[in-house]
Amino acid sequence: MTAEDLIKNNSLTDIEVTGNQTVVFSEIALTAVNMAREEVKCTWEKATAAFVKDAEIKTKKKCEEAFRSVITAVVLGQACGEPIDAEAEFRKIMNHI
């Protein structure tokens, strides 16, 4: 049940109020406020978790690309007779990620 459902299900329908306003007991209203806060908190936590997961995936992909680039450079350097310091190359690339 959501906070909105709690208010709708517990409104006093026999009291006339202007517009679309309804009357609820203060205990119900306070409970609904607390429920709404918890709903927002859960939504925020889910959004944050999704953002972090996305960032982790992107970082992992960048690291994999950097590793492949360094390995390719090392192999090409050896083939040309110009050895490349793989650790130094990898460090330079990782500093840009």
Side-chain angles (χ1 to χ4, degrees):
M1 178 183 294
T2 65
E4 185 178 0
D5 293 337
L6 180 68
I7 293 292
K8 284 180 182 176
N9 294 339
N10 290 285
S11 295
L12 302 175
T13 56
D14 58 345
I15 298 176
E16 289 187 28
V17 182
T18 59
N20 290 331
Q21 297 176 346
T22 58
V23 176
V24 295
F25 290 106
S26 58
E27 292 84 4
I28 298 294
L30 289 173
T31 301
V33 167
N34 289 330
M35 287 174 70
R37 286 181 181 148
E38 195 62 33
E39 290 168 12
V40 168
K41 180 182 171 188
C42 289
T43 301
W44 176 255
E45 288 172 352
K46 287 178 184 176
T48 302
F51 177 78
V52 169
K53 184 176 181 180
D54 186 53
E56 288 173 351
I57 290 170
K58 288 178 181 176
T59 301
K60 181 180 176 187
K61 286 181 180 180
K62 287 180 180 180
C63 290
E64 290 170 349
E65 289 173 12
F67 182 74
R68 283 194 297 274
S69 296
V70 169
I71 294 300
T72 302
V74 168
V75 169
L76 290 174
Q78 287 174 347
C80 295
E82 296 182 28
I84 293 176
D85 182 1
E87 189 174 335
E89 285 295 316
F90 192 66
R91 195 176 303 116
K92 276 194 281 186
I93 293 171
M94 292 302 290
N95 285 336
H96 295 290
I97 293 179

